[in-house]
Amino acid sequence: MSVYGWDRFYRKRAERMHNLQEGKKQLIKEICENDKEAISKGKRSLEDLSDSELENLVVDDKHGIIYCYIPKVACTNWKRVMYVLKHGEPYQDPSSIYDQYVHGFGNLRLLSSYPRIERKANLKHYTKFLFVRDPFVRLISAFRDKFEDSKNDYYYNPLSQHIQLLYDHTPYPPRITFYNFIQYLLDPQTEQNLPFDPHWRQMHRLCHPCLIQYDFIGHQETLQEDAEQLLNTLKLQNDIKFPPSYVNITTPEYLSGWFRKVPLVERMKLYKLYETDFKLFGYRKPDELLDG
């Protein structure tokens, strides 16, 4: 292909990606306009959000960026990028940053740490982005990571025992089942005691897209392509290389296997619990799981 041909190819690609982003933002705007109060639980503006509701927004003042991280949606790698940007040039390779540095308290600055007047100014002027994922696939990923991976036993084993005692009536099982986990999520008592763990809290409750107008919405399903586009938008494409992602075997094609032992009634209730995420972020309703 000639130089002219490549130039045309990249311009067409950039135009397509731009139009895709505009479509994502328009979809969120339309859904929020139709049901903003219900989605935001009566909160009408940023001033109504508490400090704890802004704990997922990471700020980089040097580059004017705000990232709302969602657990189980490439958040470790994006936190690595934010960590590298915070420390300035010469930029480290994000892949070289240990997990504990980016997940440790105080290593990244959160929007909630700013005075309220600065929060509003930052949200108005900074470039804001988030990455989302199919809600059911994210749930499976959270279950596998927190209840099937032994490295999380210290934190999640007490919860696992609690869930098993409630729904399977055995006090010390080796592991809870995915169905037990769904029962826990659907139990009205769960959130009466504590808010959902961020790893399975609804994405819109973490990032408040009806109250915060994001400039870029990326998807886990197109992570590398979206990361490249975002870094281009931020004019960091020559400075930062997004860490390569492993091939994630938790994909929508695996849904039917995971939900095989979950009764239809519970599947439908679970969809209702995460329906807003499906709609806001353009994910199709998984009819094959809900039609019996």
Side-chain angles (χ1 to χ4, degrees), residues 138-164:
R138 177 173 170 254
L139 270 187
I140 294 168
S141 181
F143 175 79
R144 291 174 57 206
D145 182 36
K146 302 308 175 187
F147 296 109
E148 292 191 340
D149 191 333
S150 60
K151 71 176 170 33
N152 290 305
D153 277 355
Y154 177 80
Y155 182 80
Y156 286 96
N157 206 36
L159 177 59
S160 178
Q161 292 179 7
H162 172 71
I163 291 173
Q164 189 77 18

Side-chain angles (χ1 to χ4, degrees), residues 114-178:
Y114 289 77
R116 284 191 172 268
I117 192 167
E118 286 188 44
R119 296 178 195 175
K120 191 171 183 179
N122 289 349
L123 285 167
K124 180 178 181 180
H125 298 292
Y126 285 10
T127 299
K128 302 167 291 296
F129 76 94
L130 77 162
F131 273 71
V132 297
R133 187 178 194 178
D134 179 287
F136 280 1
V137 176
R138 177 173 170 254
L139 270 187
I140 294 168
S141 181
F143 175 79
R144 291 174 57 206
D145 182 36
K146 302 308 175 187
F147 296 109
E148 292 191 340
D149 191 333
S150 60
K151 71 176 170 33
N152 290 305
D153 277 355
Y154 177 80
Y155 182 80
Y156 286 96
N157 206 36
L159 177 59
S160 178
Q161 292 179 7
H162 172 71
I163 291 173
Q164 189 77 18
L165 188 61
L166 282 176
Y167 308 111
D168 213 24
H169 311 296
T170 53
Y172 298 109
R175 296 287 170 190
I176 67 168
T177 66
F178 184 62

Side-chain angles (χ1 to χ4, degrees), residues 46 49 54 57 111 123 128 207-214:
L46 293 169
L49 295 176
L54 295 172
L57 287 103
L111 186 67
L123 285 167
K128 302 167 291 296
C207 293
H208 319 289
C210 289
L211 300 177
I212 297 172
Q213 294 183 8
Y214 286 92

Side-chain angles (χ1 to χ4, degrees), residues 5-21:
W6 280 114
D7 182 63
R8 186 182 179 195
F9 169 80
Y10 284 117
R11 280 191 287 109
K12 285 285 186 182
R13 184 187 179 200
E15 182 181 353
R16 176 179 63 83
M17 299 292 282
H18 171 78
N19 291 339
L20 189 60
Q21 279 298 316

Side-chain angles (χ1 to χ4, degrees), residues 149-267:
D149 191 333
S150 60
K151 71 176 170 33
N152 290 305
D153 277 355
Y154 177 80
Y155 182 80
Y156 286 96
N157 206 36
L159 177 59
S160 178
Q161 292 179 7
H162 172 71
I163 291 173
Q164 189 77 18
L165 188 61
L166 282 176
Y167 308 111
D168 213 24
H169 311 296
T170 53
Y172 298 109
R175 296 287 170 190
I176 67 168
T177 66
F178 184 62
Y179 177 40
N180 293 150
F181 177 55
I182 300 306
Q183 289 175 293
Y184 169 74
L185 295 177
L186 295 176
D187 191 332
Q189 294 296 316
T190 297
E191 281 223 281
Q192 286 182 14
N193 298 324
L194 282 172
F196 273 1
D197 183 290
H199 291 87
W200 44 84
R201 194 177 306 164
Q202 293 91 333
M203 294 182 286
H204 74 275
R205 292 174 59 194
L206 295 171
C207 293
H208 319 289
C210 289
L211 300 177
I212 297 172
Q213 294 183 8
Y214 286 92
D215 302 289
F216 188 94
I217 302 107
H219 285 249
Q220 174 83 12
E221 293 79 8
T222 51
L223 176 59
Q224 295 300 142
E225 185 178 20
D226 288 353
E228 181 183 336
Q229 183 192 5
L230 176 59
L231 291 173
N232 273 294
T233 300
L234 298 172
K235 302 189 186 315
L236 292 168
Q237 70 275 17
N238 296 323
D239 301 308
I240 301 292
K241 183 176 175 60
F242 186 75
S245 301
Y246 64 89
V247 178
N248 193 330
I249 65 169
T250 309
T251 61
E253 288 72 25
Y254 283 77
L255 285 177
S256 58
W258 281 94
F259 281 90
R260 186 174 60 251
K261 294 184 179 180
V262 180
L264 179 60
V265 172
E266 274 88 348
R267 296 182 198 180

